[in-house]
Amino acid sequence: MQPSHDRLEQARQDYEQHLQSCRQCGADGTQCPVAKHLRRLYNNLARAGR
């Protein structure tokens, strides 16, 4: 695996784990600011990898 792919995979895992463990995200189905930030990091890494 390439280092950039590892970072992308880690960002995806961080985002998914947060969604599963965050009370705020699970309570009403909307994403909290932390989840939005993690998703933004993932999207930026994915965009940079193209």
Side-chain angles (χ1 to χ4, degrees):
M1 279 186 179
Q2 299 171 347
S4 62
H5 187 269
D6 291 341
R7 290 192 327 226
L8 180 63
E9 185 64 23
Q10 183 63 47
R12 183 189 63 78
Q13 289 176 359
D14 290 345
Y15 172 71
E16 290 176 354
Q17 287 176 350
H18 175 81
L19 289 179
Q20 293 174 357
S21 63
C22 178
R23 290 186 313 168
Q24 185 176 350
C25 290
D28 58 4
T30 60
Q31 294 181 350
C32 72
V34 174
K36 290 177 183 178
H37 175 72
L38 291 171
R39 181 66 178 181
R40 195 174 307 119
L41 288 175
Y42 171 79
N43 287 340
N44 288 342
L45 286 170
R47 202 173 300 121
R50 288 185 199 147

